[in-house]
Amino acid sequence: MTRSKIVSDKQPEARQIPFYQPSITEREIRAVVQTLRSGWLTTGPKTKKFEKRFARYVGAKHAVALNSCTAGLHLALVASGVGPGDEVIVPTYTFAASAETVIHAGAKPVLVDSESDTLNLSVAEVEKEISPRTKAVVAVDIAGLPCDYAALQPVVKKQGIHLIDDAAHALGASYDGRMVGTLADLTAFSFYATKNLTTGEGGMVTTDNQELAEKISLLSLHGMSRDAWKRYRTGGSWYYELLDAGFKYNFTDLQAALGLPQLARLRTLQAQRRALATLYDRELGDLPEVRLPAQKKGRVHAWHLYIIRLRLEQLKIDRNQFIHELTRRRIGTAVHFIPLHLHPYYRERYGYQPEDFPVAHDNYQRAITLPLYPRMTRAMVCYVAGAVREIVQKYRHRGRG
Ligand SMILES: *Cc1c(COP(=O)(O)O)cnc(C)c1O
């Protein structure tokens, strides 16, 4: 019985759609191997080159490579002077990193609700929460759709505080012709395995402010007065001074070896994502039970995630059962995000209740992220969309249901 089960499992396997598969070329593999042979593995010339090209790509004056976006957010906050007694406004509808870094900086995250169409933080809610203790606002471009920067920028400017963009999803996005990476005082990107550009793990902070860039660069490697790679290269000096109690957040040349060719084909990767998202829109557009991802005039979406929301009133099953049906059809999905205020740590430490942020709470119950990545074929997208249609048709309310 066991044996026949294995054999019969084989066929559907062929139509399995994983939630994510990275896109890595042979050229990228060769670049990493060459770096291994080069004798220089950690932060060095390739990292510097990657920073320069990345800054040019987004149109920012400075880019500092780090070992994660989380490290980038932390250092963006520290460089902004955020510390004990301060508050930082963060949307509840986001990943852990956007708020935990505020806590690591010694400050208090003040959560706010989202806009129901975009899932991005609501600027009206930000304005309500601003107090004399507010030191910064962290905006998150959910799924890759830029926040409402035209509304957000004057609010932080009036307050004289920093706007920090958690752009983990938004590499390649733009707002009114300006790339994400130039829309806030500091922007943090992620090169985690599933993100639009990957170096396995990694991150980048961009800014036009030289002082902030230098501070972040210094803090990223123990607060040492000169980069280690300059000390150890031929003719480098052994001498250094500690100018701060820094961190160990530096990026490596092994990562840069992967990042450089990934950046060179980012436009192609983004075009592939966009084409697949358009195909999803077309295949799902006539289902009233499914709300498609929002798009906004003047904003270019990075299509990191394709998040649909179920109109639960029109269905006999809930989101979890819907995901179960997709899993049975061998389709990998995820939920972005469980709002921070629903997690035990935030509930217990800050006393949040589920109904404190009704928009985030409601959307969380409806959200499903469908697979979307450049290695997907059009047939794979059609298979996923077809499965969504089949489930909707099976469980939709007819008349009184
Ligand atoms: C992935 C992600 C991060 C963290 O990125 P790392 O590079 O893994 O630190 C931060 N914020 C959001 C919204 C993310 O999705």
Side-chain angles (χ1 to χ4, degrees), residues 325-384:
E325 291 288 328
L326 286 167
T327 308
R328 275 185 39 196
R329 289 163 177 82
R330 298 180 165 271
I331 294 166
T333 55
V335 173
H336 296 89
F337 289 94
I338 307 170
L340 295 176
H341 76 281
L342 298 180
H343 289 283
Y345 180 82
Y346 288 89
R347 268 195 344 244
E348 286 157 26
R349 178 156 178 188
Y350 301 107
Y352 287 119
Q353 302 291 319
E355 55 282 6
D356 286 348
F357 306 106
V359 175
H361 190 215
D362 179 62
N363 279 286
Y364 158 59
Q365 289 168 307
R366 300 167 182 274
I368 303 177
T369 308
L370 300 179
L372 175 67
Y373 41 94
R375 274 180 68 181
M376 278 183 95
T377 60
R378 295 179 71 83
M380 285 162 82
V381 169
C382 290
Y383 175 74
V384 176

Side-chain angles (χ1 to χ4, degrees), residues 68-70 94-95 97-98 140 166 168-169 190 192 195 201-202 337:
S68 70
C69 176
T70 305
T94 186
F95 183 60
S98 320
V140 187
D166 178 345
H169 300 177
S190 173
Y192 178 69
K195 300 285 159 64
E201 298 277 359
F337 289 94

Side-chain angles (χ1 to χ4, degrees), residues 5-6 13-14 19 41 50 59 75 107 150 197 235 340 353 359 372:
K5 188 136 198 278
I6 290 167
E13 197 89 358
F19 178 66
L41 307 183
F50 184 49
L75 293 189
L197 181 158
L340 295 176
Q353 302 291 319
V359 175
L372 175 67

Side-chain angles (χ1 to χ4, degrees), residues 256-272:
L258 188 48
L260 281 162
Q262 287 253 313
L263 187 60
R265 65 190 181 95
L266 188 60
R267 281 179 218 281
T268 310
L269 292 168
Q270 290 303 101
Q272 287 166 332

